[in-house]
Amino acid sequence: MRRILLLMLLMLLSPAIHGSGKQPPKTVIGTDKECIQCHPKQFKEWQASAHAKKQPVAGCLACHGGLHSETASRSRRDRVCVACHGGKEGAVVHSYASSKHGVLMRLEENGYDWTKPLAMANYRAPGCAYCHLHQRNHDVSAGVRADAMNRERPVPDGMRAVCRDCHAPRYTARLFDNGDALLEIGRKKSREAEALVQAAPELGREDQAAVQQQLQKMHQHLQNVRLGAGHQSPDYQWWHGQPALDGDLLRIRGMIDEYRRKHPVQPR
């Protein structure tokens, strides 16, 4: 009888001993659904993000991996992001790698404590996750995001707040103002090129295709300027950005002028 009472007492005390009575997290996770049960807040944030809405979908395991003890530290390292964002030679990754932050990251990343939160300047050089998943917000569209600098409007304060973790407000404001000015110079070149193309409807099919191809290159070079401003990469602000835009504009103008020389308008 005493043994039965003792067993009953242990059963009653079991939830108190083990916390809420929930099962401890698995060592290995096999599917994203297993993560959602314990992380509903992060899942809701993720649902609003580009990771959830674009194809291929970047789910929990894609970034965190399946080993529960390393899910946080693994997802905070840049190597997780590289494969899905154009590889090491792609403009997105290379523009960061060629920046001061990127160089510091390569030199020091093996000495960082990757278990620390993505906030409070815990890392001397911010990586992809620090800026784009700031303070563990799983909506990569909430803070620093690529399309924020695509629109001709003020940069959201959420982006500025990330930089203010490490930099003084006045310095941060100056950098963003410089970036806006740099982008506006690039946009003017792009608008001029588009106006030239619209004013040349007489171009033949092959010539029109060649001009449109050059215009597409110009859009990519304008994107390089955005990446250069956002990642603070001089190479992408200039060598892969503004001079490339100058060349695109000159080529488009030259192609249209050449066509008009070869096909002069006959007087009526």
Side-chain angles (χ1 to χ4, degrees), residues 157-183:
D157 191 62
M159 286 182 64
R160 298 174 185 269
V162 175
C163 302
R164 288 197 293 264
D165 267 8
C166 303
H167 301 291
R170 185 171 65 176
Y171 176 75
T172 300
R174 182 178 298 174
L175 286 180
F176 276 102
D177 289 344
N178 290 344
D180 286 340
L182 190 70
L183 278 168

Side-chain angles (χ1 to χ4, degrees), residues 15 78 88 94 102 138 141 150 211 219 229 239 248 255 266:
D78 292 347
K88 291 183 178 180
H94 190 245
H138 282 62
S141 309
N150 287 353
V211 168
H219 293 159
W239 306 120
D248 295 329
M255 292 162 75
Q266 299 298 327

Side-chain angles (χ1 to χ4, degrees), residues 7 35 39 44 68 71 83 86-87 98 113 139 153 156 168 170 183 195 212 214 233 241:
L7 285 171
C35 308
H39 302 282
K44 186 176 181 180
H68 195 274
T71 52
S98 59
D113 179 1
D139 180 1
R153 66 174 192 177
R170 185 171 65 176
L183 278 168
Q212 288 297 329
Q214 193 65 50
S233 169

Side-chain angles (χ1 to χ4, degrees), residues 58-192:
C60 309
L61 297 184
C63 299
H64 292 279
L67 193 60
H68 195 274
S69 61
E70 297 179 359
T71 52
S73 58
R74 180 183 186 274
S75 64
R76 289 169 184 163
R77 306 197 71 161
D78 292 347
R79 65 186 64 164
V80 177
C81 309
V82 170
C84 295
H85 292 276
K88 291 183 178 180
E89 300 303 319
V92 173
V93 176
H94 190 245
S95 60
Y96 168 77
S98 59
S99 71
K100 183 177 181 179
H101 287 158
V103 172
L104 283 172
M105 178 63 72
R106 287 202 308 276
L107 292 173
E108 300 178 356
E109 63 177 328
N110 290 331
Y112 287 168
D113 179 1
W114 292 98
T115 64
K116 290 184 176 181
L118 298 170
M120 302 177 292
N122 281 330
Y123 301 87
R124 182 166 180 248
C128 307
Y130 190 96
C131 296
H132 296 284
L133 295 163
H134 191 240
Q135 295 182 342
R136 294 181 63 200
N137 189 335
H138 282 62
D139 180 1
V140 292
S141 309
V144 177
R145 62 183 192 271
D147 68 339
M149 301 187 79
N150 287 353
R151 305 186 183 101
E152 297 183 33
R153 66 174 192 177
V155 175
D157 191 62
M159 286 182 64
R160 298 174 185 269
V162 175
C163 302
R164 288 197 293 264
D165 267 8
C166 303
H167 301 291
R170 185 171 65 176
Y171 176 75
T172 300
R174 182 178 298 174
L175 286 180
F176 276 102
D177 289 344
N178 290 344
D180 286 340
L182 190 70
L183 278 168
E184 183 53 27
I185 293 171
R187 292 188 191 109
K188 285 181 178 179
K189 296 172 185 177
S190 181
R191 288 195 293 265
E192 183 177 348

